[in-house]
Amino acid sequence: MTLNQPPLRLLIVEDQVDLAENLFEFLGEDRYILDFAADGLTALHLLGTQSYDVVVLDLMLPGVNGYDICRRIRQDLQCQTPIILMTALSALNDKEKGFDCGADDYLVKPFELRELQLRIEALHRRYSPQRPVLAAGDIRFDPGTLEVELRGSKTVLSGTPARLFELLVRAYPSFLSHEALSDVLWGARHGETEGNSLRTHIYTLRKSLQAGLGSSLVKTIHGRGYRLEAPEKENTDTP
């Protein structure tokens, strides 16, 4: 690893604990920050609340299979993080289905762990320069660094508030409903508890933005949801 090279955040989605442990042991902690999900719904929750550089996704998962999870990552979460599918399914039509679902790479089991590492690094090199800075009026948000900028002032978000902010930036100038935000963060079966949690995360997001930028930016659309709204520019013209 090159000196001062930032670590990569990886999400490993694999229901075989022994294989997941082998991956964790091989990849280590010097170059990578590793998270683990044993099923697809847990993976969707993590992707809805955290930012990753690469996702390694097994196809044969309990409950919802990897194809559907890959599709939901792309369509429901609007998440473009590179995805490597790993599976024992080696037929061409299986690979075609995987790429049609939005995967960036496809690795057939059994494989050398070093090959997976090389593919992770190659995907990251191709993807990382292409992460666009998102704009919503005068608001700028970098999904890679989680930095928000408003007319020269900057602050950095983290966790669920950062994910909420990214969703609101992508939706701008439209609003997002309470249900839509909760669906992305907790899945379609969210309930009253998650609704209260959403309000808490919105409060935390506003507090962070107010402290860092001097404006909370998130406007409540009463009875409907939330949207971004930058404060009006101050008039600097002399009378």
Side-chain angles (χ1 to χ4, degrees), residues 169-211:
V169 171
R170 292 184 182 278
Y172 182 86
S174 300
F175 75 93
L176 285 177
S177 68
H178 303 93
E179 292 77 11
L181 290 168
S182 296
D183 283 351
V184 171
L185 295 179
W186 297 291
R189 296 181 179 179
H190 59 82
E192 183 178 351
T193 300
E194 287 76 13
N196 293 333
S197 183
L198 175 61
R199 287 189 288 272
T200 300
H201 288 306
I202 289 289
Y203 171 80
T204 302
L205 172 59
R206 284 172 165 157
K207 188 175 180 180
S208 297
L209 294 169
Q210 184 68 47

mmCIF file of all heavy atoms in Angstrom, residues 169-211:
data_model
loop_
_atom_site.group_PDB
_atom_site.id
_atom_site.type_symbol
_atom_site.label_atom_id
_atom_site.label_comp_id
_atom_site.label_asym_id
_atom_site.label_seq_id
_atom_site.Cartn_x
_atom_site.Cartn_y
_atom_site.Cartn_z
ATOM 1 N N VAL A 169 -30.354 16.061 -2.162
ATOM 2 C CA VAL A 169 -29.654 16.752 -3.254
ATOM 3 C C VAL A 169 -30.055 16.163 -4.595
ATOM 4 O O VAL A 169 -30.323 16.878 -5.565
ATOM 5 C CB VAL A 169 -28.126 16.664 -3.053
ATOM 6 C CG1 VAL A 169 -27.401 17.192 -4.288
ATOM 7 C CG2 VAL A 169 -27.692 17.465 -1.830
ATOM 8 N N ARG A 170 -30.097 14.831 -4.667
ATOM 9 C CA ARG A 170 -30.442 14.177 -5.926
ATOM 10 C C ARG A 170 -31.883 14.474 -6.340
ATOM 11 O O ARG A 170 -32.211 14.499 -7.530
ATOM 12 C CB ARG A 170 -30.225 12.663 -5.817
ATOM 13 C CG ARG A 170 -28.742 12.259 -5.692
ATOM 14 C CD ARG A 170 -28.578 10.747 -5.682
ATOM 15 N NE ARG A 170 -27.189 10.353 -5.508
ATOM 16 C CZ ARG A 170 -26.285 10.306 -6.481
ATOM 17 N NH1 ARG A 170 -26.642 10.622 -7.720
ATOM 18 N NH2 ARG A 170 -25.050 9.933 -6.236
ATOM 19 N N ALA A 171 -32.759 14.671 -5.363
ATOM 20 C CA ALA A 171 -34.174 14.936 -5.662
ATOM 21 C C ALA A 171 -34.433 16.394 -6.026
ATOM 22 O O ALA A 171 -35.466 16.711 -6.618
ATOM 23 C CB ALA A 171 -35.039 14.541 -4.480
ATOM 24 N N TYR A 172 -33.532 17.291 -5.659
ATOM 25 C CA TYR A 172 -33.727 18.734 -5.847
ATOM 26 C C TYR A 172 -34.062 19.049 -7.309
ATOM 27 O O TYR A 172 -33.490 18.481 -8.224
ATOM 28 C CB TYR A 172 -32.448 19.461 -5.440
ATOM 29 C CG TYR A 172 -32.532 20.967 -5.548
ATOM 30 C CD1 TYR A 172 -33.033 21.731 -4.511
ATOM 31 C CD2 TYR A 172 -32.113 21.618 -6.705
ATOM 32 C CE1 TYR A 172 -33.108 23.111 -4.610
ATOM 33 C CE2 TYR A 172 -32.186 22.994 -6.819
ATOM 34 C CZ TYR A 172 -32.686 23.735 -5.772
ATOM 35 O OH TYR A 172 -32.758 25.101 -5.876
ATOM 36 N N PRO A 173 -35.022 19.967 -7.566
ATOM 37 C CA PRO A 173 -35.732 20.843 -6.623
ATOM 38 C C PRO A 173 -37.009 20.234 -6.051
ATOM 39 O O PRO A 173 -37.767 20.921 -5.386
ATOM 40 C CB PRO A 173 -36.073 22.048 -7.495
ATOM 41 C CG PRO A 173 -36.286 21.452 -8.847
ATOM 42 C CD PRO A 173 -35.291 20.318 -8.960
ATOM 43 N N SER A 174 -37.261 18.960 -6.338
ATOM 44 C CA SER A 174 -38.448 18.308 -5.793
ATOM 45 C C SER A 174 -38.233 17.948 -4.320
ATOM 46 O O SER A 174 -37.100 17.939 -3.836
ATOM 47 C CB SER A 174 -38.766 17.045 -6.584
ATOM 48 O OG SER A 174 -39.017 17.350 -7.944
ATOM 49 N N PHE A 175 -39.317 17.636 -3.629
ATOM 50 C CA PHE A 175 -39.217 17.175 -2.251
ATOM 51 C C PHE A 175 -39.260 15.649 -2.247
ATOM 52 O O PHE A 175 -39.637 15.009 -3.238
ATOM 53 C CB PHE A 175 -40.344 17.751 -1.394
ATOM 54 C CG PHE A 175 -41.689 17.110 -1.633
ATOM 55 C CD1 PHE A 175 -42.118 16.043 -0.849
ATOM 56 C CD2 PHE A 175 -42.524 17.573 -2.642
ATOM 57 C CE1 PHE A 175 -43.349 15.450 -1.066
ATOM 58 C CE2 PHE A 175 -43.757 16.987 -2.871
ATOM 59 C CZ PHE A 175 -44.170 15.928 -2.081
ATOM 60 N N LEU A 176 -38.859 15.055 -1.133
ATOM 61 C CA LEU A 176 -39.005 13.618 -0.918
ATOM 62 C C LEU A 176 -39.946 13.395 0.254
ATOM 63 O O LEU A 176 -39.832 14.060 1.285
ATOM 64 C CB LEU A 176 -37.648 12.968 -0.619
ATOM 65 C CG LEU A 176 -36.706 12.798 -1.818
ATOM 66 C CD1 LEU A 176 -35.377 12.221 -1.360
ATOM 67 C CD2 LEU A 176 -37.335 11.914 -2.886
ATOM 68 N N SER A 177 -40.868 12.468 0.098
ATOM 69 C CA SER A 177 -41.847 12.208 1.150
ATOM 70 C C SER A 177 -41.201 11.467 2.313
ATOM 71 O O SER A 177 -40.137 10.853 2.172
ATOM 72 C CB SER A 177 -43.009 11.373 0.593
ATOM 73 O OG SER A 177 -42.561 10.064 0.276
ATOM 74 N N HIS A 178 -41.872 11.516 3.464
ATOM 75 C CA HIS A 178 -41.423 10.738 4.618
ATOM 76 C C HIS A 178 -41.316 9.264 4.248
ATOM 77 O O HIS A 178 -40.356 8.580 4.614
ATOM 78 C CB HIS A 178 -42.400 10.890 5.786
ATOM 79 C CG HIS A 178 -42.634 12.300 6.222
ATOM 80 N ND1 HIS A 178 -43.664 13.064 5.726
ATOM 81 C CD2 HIS A 178 -41.962 13.087 7.103
ATOM 82 C CE1 HIS A 178 -43.623 14.265 6.294
ATOM 83 N NE2 HIS A 178 -42.602 14.305 7.132
ATOM 84 N N GLU A 179 -42.310 8.764 3.500
ATOM 85 C CA GLU A 179 -42.339 7.349 3.142
ATOM 86 C C GLU A 179 -41.176 6.981 2.237
ATOM 87 O O GLU A 179 -40.542 5.941 2.404
ATOM 88 C CB GLU A 179 -43.663 6.999 2.454
ATOM 89 C CG GLU A 179 -44.881 7.064 3.350
ATOM 90 C CD GLU A 179 -45.354 8.496 3.620
ATOM 91 O OE1 GLU A 179 -44.854 9.437 2.949
ATOM 92 O OE2 GLU A 179 -46.208 8.683 4.496
ATOM 93 N N ALA A 180 -40.880 7.838 1.252
ATOM 94 C CA ALA A 180 -39.788 7.541 0.317
ATOM 95 C C ALA A 180 -38.447 7.490 1.034
ATOM 96 O O ALA A 180 -37.627 6.593 0.793
ATOM 97 C CB ALA A 180 -39.758 8.583 -0.799
ATOM 98 N N LEU A 181 -38.214 8.443 1.915
ATOM 99 C CA LEU A 181 -36.957 8.454 2.664
ATOM 100 C C LEU A 181 -36.855 7.235 3.574
ATOM 101 O O LEU A 181 -35.803 6.590 3.654
ATOM 102 C CB LEU A 181 -36.850 9.734 3.491
ATOM 103 C CG LEU A 181 -36.624 11.022 2.688
ATOM 104 C CD1 LEU A 181 -36.819 12.239 3.583
ATOM 105 C CD2 LEU A 181 -35.226 11.034 2.065
ATOM 106 N N SER A 182 -37.938 6.893 4.250
ATOM 107 C CA SER A 182 -37.924 5.737 5.143
ATOM 108 C C SER A 182 -37.749 4.438 4.367
ATOM 109 O O SER A 182 -37.065 3.513 4.817
ATOM 110 C CB SER A 182 -39.216 5.679 5.965
ATOM 111 O OG SER A 182 -39.324 6.793 6.824
ATOM 112 N N ASP A 183 -38.364 4.361 3.176
ATOM 113 C CA ASP A 183 -38.213 3.165 2.352
ATOM 114 C C ASP A 183 -36.753 2.923 2.001
ATOM 115 O O ASP A 183 -36.257 1.791 2.039
ATOM 116 C CB ASP A 183 -39.018 3.297 1.052
ATOM 117 C CG ASP A 183 -40.507 3.070 1.264
ATOM 118 O OD1 ASP A 183 -40.890 2.646 2.376
ATOM 119 O OD2 ASP A 183 -41.289 3.313 0.325
ATOM 120 N N VAL A 184 -36.052 3.986 1.627
ATOM 121 C CA VAL A 184 -34.649 3.850 1.240
ATOM 122 C C VAL A 184 -33.790 3.456 2.437
ATOM 123 O O VAL A 184 -32.914 2.598 2.348
ATOM 124 C CB VAL A 184 -34.131 5.155 0.608
ATOM 125 C CG1 VAL A 184 -32.621 5.087 0.402
ATOM 126 C CG2 VAL A 184 -34.815 5.406 -0.724
ATOM 127 N N LEU A 185 -34.045 4.074 3.573
ATOM 128 C CA LEU A 185 -33.197 3.850 4.741
ATOM 129 C C LEU A 185 -33.492 2.541 5.464
ATOM 130 O O LEU A 185 -32.569 1.874 5.947
ATOM 131 C CB LEU A 185 -33.341 5.010 5.724
ATOM 132 C CG LEU A 185 -32.859 6.381 5.239
ATOM 133 C CD1 LEU A 185 -33.092 7.422 6.311
ATOM 134 C CD2 LEU A 185 -31.387 6.339 4.845
ATOM 135 N N TRP A 186 -34.765 2.146 5.519
ATOM 136 C CA TRP A 186 -35.122 0.985 6.337
ATOM 137 C C TRP A 186 -35.936 -0.063 5.603
ATOM 138 O O TRP A 186 -36.320 -1.067 6.194
ATOM 139 C CB TRP A 186 -35.898 1.445 7.575
ATOM 140 C CG TRP A 186 -35.070 2.320 8.458
ATOM 141 C CD1 TRP A 186 -33.994 1.946 9.211
ATOM 142 C CD2 TRP A 186 -35.226 3.731 8.665
ATOM 143 N NE1 TRP A 186 -33.467 3.025 9.867
ATOM 144 C CE2 TRP A 186 -34.197 4.144 9.564
ATOM 145 C CE3 TRP A 186 -36.119 4.687 8.185
ATOM 146 C CZ2 TRP A 186 -34.047 5.450 9.980
ATOM 147 C CZ3 TRP A 186 -35.968 5.997 8.602
ATOM 148 C CH2 TRP A 186 -34.952 6.376 9.484
ATOM 149 N N GLY A 187 -36.192 0.132 4.319
ATOM 150 C CA GLY A 187 -36.971 -0.843 3.580
ATOM 151 C C GLY A 187 -38.455 -0.552 3.629
ATOM 152 O O GLY A 187 -38.933 0.286 4.401
ATOM 153 N N ALA A 188 -39.187 -1.278 2.802
ATOM 154 C CA ALA A 188 -40.612 -0.981 2.629
ATOM 155 C C ALA A 188 -41.452 -1.324 3.854
ATOM 156 O O ALA A 188 -42.589 -0.879 3.968
ATOM 157 C CB ALA A 188 -41.150 -1.740 1.408
ATOM 158 N N ARG A 189 -40.899 -2.096 4.790
ATOM 159 C CA ARG A 189 -41.692 -2.526 5.949
ATOM 160 C C ARG A 189 -41.422 -1.680 7.186
ATOM 161 O O ARG A 189 -41.585 -2.122 8.315
ATOM 162 C CB ARG A 189 -41.397 -4.001 6.260
ATOM 163 C CG ARG A 189 -41.826 -4.942 5.138
ATOM 164 C CD ARG A 189 -41.541 -6.386 5.502
ATOM 165 N NE ARG A 189 -41.978 -7.286 4.427
ATOM 166 C CZ ARG A 189 -41.832 -8.608 4.465
ATOM 167 N NH1 ARG A 189 -41.257 -9.174 5.526
ATOM 168 N NH2 ARG A 189 -42.238 -9.344 3.469
ATOM 169 N N HIS A 190 -40.992 -0.452 6.968
ATOM 170 C CA HIS A 190 -40.731 0.418 8.107
ATOM 171 C C HIS A 190 -42.033 0.753 8.824
ATOM 172 O O HIS A 190 -43.123 0.694 8.253
ATOM 173 C CB HIS A 190 -40.044 1.707 7.647
ATOM 174 C CG HIS A 190 -40.842 2.487 6.643
ATOM 175 N ND1 HIS A 190 -41.854 3.336 7.010
ATOM 176 C CD2 HIS A 190 -40.788 2.521 5.290
ATOM 177 C CE1 HIS A 190 -42.385 3.883 5.921
ATOM 178 N NE2 HIS A 190 -41.757 3.396 4.873
ATOM 179 N N GLY A 191 -41.911 1.120 10.074
ATOM 180 C CA GLY A 191 -43.101 1.441 10.873
ATOM 181 C C GLY A 191 -42.945 2.751 11.599
ATOM 182 O O GLY A 191 -42.130 3.604 11.240
ATOM 183 N N GLU A 192 -43.714 2.906 12.686
ATOM 184 C CA GLU A 192 -43.726 4.168 13.422
ATOM 185 C C GLU A 192 -42.365 4.466 14.044
ATOM 186 O O GLU A 192 -41.932 5.616 14.101
ATOM 187 C CB GLU A 192 -44.796 4.119 14.508
ATOM 188 C CG GLU A 192 -44.923 5.425 15.285
ATOM 189 C CD GLU A 192 -46.023 5.370 16.322
ATOM 190 O OE1 GLU A 192 -46.800 4.386 16.313
ATOM 191 O OE2 GLU A 192 -46.103 6.301 17.141
ATOM 192 N N THR A 193 -41.663 3.415 14.482
ATOM 193 C CA THR A 193 -40.351 3.620 15.104
ATOM 194 C C THR A 193 -39.389 4.278 14.137
ATOM 195 O O THR A 193 -38.681 5.233 14.476
ATOM 196 C CB THR A 193 -39.766 2.275 15.581
ATOM 197 O OG1 THR A 193 -40.659 1.691 16.528
ATOM 198 C CG2 THR A 193 -38.406 2.488 16.230
ATOM 199 N N GLU A 194 -39.366 3.786 12.882
ATOM 200 C CA GLU A 194 -38.482 4.369 11.889
ATOM 201 C C GLU A 194 -38.912 5.781 11.518
ATOM 202 O O GLU A 194 -38.085 6.631 11.194
ATOM 203 C CB GLU A 194 -38.433 3.480 10.635
ATOM 204 C CG GLU A 194 -37.646 2.195 10.798
ATOM 205 C CD GLU A 194 -38.394 1.135 11.581
ATOM 206 O OE1 GLU A 194 -39.609 1.305 11.790
ATOM 207 O OE2 GLU A 194 -37.761 0.137 11.991
ATOM 208 N N GLY A 195 -40.227 6.047 11.565
ATOM 209 C CA GLY A 195 -40.698 7.401 11.300
ATOM 210 C C GLY A 195 -40.164 8.388 12.319
ATOM 211 O O GLY A 195 -39.721 9.487 11.980
ATOM 212 N N ASN A 196 -40.187 7.994 13.577
ATOM 213 C CA ASN A 196 -39.611 8.846 14.621
ATOM 214 C C ASN A 196 -38.111 8.980 14.447
ATOM 215 O O ASN A 196 -37.534 10.049 14.666
ATOM 216 C CB ASN A 196 -39.927 8.257 16.001
ATOM 217 C CG ASN A 196 -41.411 8.311 16.334
ATOM 218 O OD1 ASN A 196 -42.128 9.175 15.840
ATOM 219 N ND2 ASN A 196 -41.874 7.383 17.161
ATOM 220 N N SER A 197 -37.461 7.893 14.048
ATOM 221 C CA SER A 197 -36.021 7.921 13.832
ATOM 222 C C SER A 197 -35.665 8.847 12.675
ATOM 223 O O SER A 197 -34.657 9.561 12.728
ATOM 224 C CB SER A 197 -35.506 6.505 13.546
ATOM 225 O OG SER A 197 -34.108 6.498 13.407
ATOM 226 N N LEU A 198 -36.494 8.869 11.629
ATOM 227 C CA LEU A 198 -36.254 9.771 10.508
ATOM 228 C C LEU A 198 -36.258 11.218 10.976
ATOM 229 O O LEU A 198 -35.372 12.003 10.601
ATOM 230 C CB LEU A 198 -37.315 9.553 9.416
ATOM 231 C CG LEU A 198 -37.268 10.522 8.231
ATOM 232 C CD1 LEU A 198 -35.943 10.405 7.497
ATOM 233 C CD2 LEU A 198 -38.444 10.272 7.287
ATOM 234 N N ARG A 199 -37.220 11.582 11.786
ATOM 235 C CA ARG A 199 -37.276 12.953 12.294
ATOM 236 C C ARG A 199 -36.033 13.288 13.118
ATOM 237 O O ARG A 199 -35.517 14.412 13.054
ATOM 238 C CB ARG A 199 -38.554 13.155 13.123
ATOM 239 C CG ARG A 199 -39.816 13.233 12.268
ATOM 240 C CD ARG A 199 -41.017 13.637 13.093
ATOM 241 N NE ARG A 199 -41.455 12.562 13.975
ATOM 242 C CZ ARG A 199 -42.316 11.622 13.616
ATOM 243 N NH1 ARG A 199 -42.812 11.615 12.378
ATOM 244 N NH2 ARG A 199 -42.686 10.683 14.467
ATOM 245 N N THR A 200 -35.548 12.300 13.875
ATOM 246 C CA THR A 200 -34.330 12.515 14.663
ATOM 247 C C THR A 200 -33.126 12.748 13.754
ATOM 248 O O THR A 200 -32.304 13.644 14.002
ATOM 249 C CB THR A 200 -34.066 11.302 15.575
ATOM 250 O OG1 THR A 200 -35.170 11.135 16.463
ATOM 251 C CG2 THR A 200 -32.789 11.502 16.379
ATOM 252 N N HIS A 201 -33.013 11.959 12.691
ATOM 253 C CA HIS A 201 -31.892 12.111 11.759
ATOM 254 C C HIS A 201 -31.974 13.444 11.006
ATOM 255 O O HIS A 201 -30.952 14.081 10.746
ATOM 256 C CB HIS A 201 -31.853 10.947 10.771
ATOM 257 C CG HIS A 201 -31.407 9.651 11.386
ATOM 258 N ND1 HIS A 201 -30.229 9.525 12.086
ATOM 259 C CD2 HIS A 201 -31.984 8.425 11.386
ATOM 260 C CE1 HIS A 201 -30.093 8.274 12.491
ATOM 261 N NE2 HIS A 201 -31.144 7.596 12.092
ATOM 262 N N ILE A 202 -33.193 13.865 10.663
ATOM 263 C CA ILE A 202 -33.366 15.166 10.012
ATOM 264 C C ILE A 202 -32.936 16.280 10.949
ATOM 265 O O ILE A 202 -32.264 17.245 10.548
ATOM 266 C CB ILE A 202 -34.828 15.366 9.569
ATOM 267 C CG1 ILE A 202 -35.160 14.448 8.382
ATOM 268 C CG2 ILE A 202 -35.084 16.823 9.197
ATOM 269 C CD1 ILE A 202 -34.505 14.822 7.067
ATOM 270 N N TYR A 203 -33.304 16.158 12.222
ATOM 271 C CA TYR A 203 -32.894 17.150 13.216
ATOM 272 C C TYR A 203 -31.365 17.210 13.316
ATOM 273 O O TYR A 203 -30.775 18.300 13.342
ATOM 274 C CB TYR A 203 -33.508 16.809 14.573
ATOM 275 C CG TYR A 203 -32.969 17.654 15.711
ATOM 276 C CD1 TYR A 203 -33.431 18.949 15.931
ATOM 277 C CD2 TYR A 203 -31.974 17.156 16.558
ATOM 278 C CE1 TYR A 203 -32.927 19.730 16.964
ATOM 279 C CE2 TYR A 203 -31.465 17.932 17.590
ATOM 280 C CZ TYR A 203 -31.949 19.213 17.786
ATOM 281 O OH TYR A 203 -31.439 19.989 18.800
ATOM 282 N N THR A 204 -30.725 16.047 13.375
ATOM 283 C CA THR A 204 -29.259 15.995 13.460
ATOM 284 C C THR A 204 -28.624 16.604 12.221
ATOM 285 O O THR A 204 -27.627 17.336 12.309
ATOM 286 C CB THR A 204 -28.798 14.541 13.623
ATOM 287 O OG1 THR A 204 -29.398 13.979 14.793
ATOM 288 C CG2 THR A 204 -27.282 14.453 13.745
ATOM 289 N N LEU A 205 -29.188 16.311 11.051
ATOM 290 C CA LEU A 205 -28.673 16.870 9.800
ATOM 291 C C LEU A 205 -28.776 18.390 9.806
ATOM 292 O O LEU A 205 -27.810 19.098 9.489
ATOM 293 C CB LEU A 205 -29.467 16.288 8.625
ATOM 294 C CG LEU A 205 -29.196 16.905 7.250
ATOM 295 C CD1 LEU A 205 -27.735 16.761 6.852
ATOM 296 C CD2 LEU A 205 -30.107 16.253 6.200
ATOM 297 N N ARG A 206 -29.925 18.903 10.176
ATOM 298 C CA ARG A 206 -30.108 20.363 10.229
ATOM 299 C C ARG A 206 -29.134 21.017 11.205
ATOM 300 O O ARG A 206 -28.557 22.074 10.912
ATOM 301 C CB ARG A 206 -31.547 20.694 10.629
ATOM 302 C CG ARG A 206 -32.570 20.494 9.519
ATOM 303 C CD ARG A 206 -33.958 20.660 10.061
ATOM 304 N NE ARG A 206 -34.941 20.820 9.002
ATOM 305 C CZ ARG A 206 -36.229 20.549 9.139
ATOM 306 N NH1 ARG A 206 -36.684 20.101 10.314
ATOM 307 N NH2 ARG A 206 -37.058 20.725 8.144
ATOM 308 N N LYS A 207 -28.949 20.387 12.346
ATOM 309 C CA LYS A 207 -28.049 20.940 13.357
ATOM 310 C C LYS A 207 -26.618 21.000 12.833
ATOM 311 O O LYS A 207 -25.910 22.002 13.027
ATOM 312 C CB LYS A 207 -28.125 20.078 14.618
ATOM 313 C CG LYS A 207 -27.385 20.652 15.815
ATOM 314 C CD LYS A 207 -27.615 19.790 17.053
ATOM 315 C CE LYS A 207 -26.863 20.363 18.249
ATOM 316 N NZ LYS A 207 -27.078 19.528 19.467
ATOM 317 N N SER A 208 -26.181 19.956 12.140
ATOM 318 C CA SER A 208 -24.823 19.926 11.582
ATOM 319 C C SER A 208 -24.649 20.990 10.510
ATOM 320 O O SER A 208 -23.626 21.683 10.460
ATOM 321 C CB SER A 208 -24.530 18.540 10.990
ATOM 322 O OG SER A 208 -24.568 17.544 11.992
ATOM 323 N N LEU A 209 -25.653 21.129 9.634
ATOM 324 C CA LEU A 209 -25.580 22.129 8.562
ATOM 325 C C LEU A 209 -25.597 23.543 9.124
ATOM 326 O O LEU A 209 -24.866 24.422 8.653
ATOM 327 C CB LEU A 209 -26.733 21.921 7.583
ATOM 328 C CG LEU A 209 -26.699 20.614 6.773
ATOM 329 C CD1 LEU A 209 -28.027 20.415 6.048
ATOM 330 C CD2 LEU A 209 -25.548 20.628 5.783
ATOM 331 N N GLN A 210 -26.428 23.767 10.124
ATOM 332 C CA GLN A 210 -26.505 25.098 10.737
ATOM 333 C C GLN A 210 -25.171 25.468 11.377
ATOM 334 O O GLN A 210 -24.692 26.602 11.235
ATOM 335 C CB GLN A 210 -27.615 25.116 11.794
ATOM 336 C CG GLN A 210 -27.853 26.483 12.424
ATOM 337 C CD GLN A 210 -28.445 27.498 11.465
ATOM 338 O OE1 GLN A 210 -29.406 27.202 10.754
ATOM 339 N NE2 GLN A 210 -27.885 28.698 11.425
ATOM 340 N N ALA A 211 -24.557 24.495 12.065
ATOM 341 C CA ALA A 211 -23.283 24.758 12.735
ATOM 342 C C ALA A 211 -22.163 25.000 11.731
ATOM 343 O O ALA A 211 -21.304 25.860 11.944
ATOM 344 C CB ALA A 211 -22.922 23.588 13.653
#
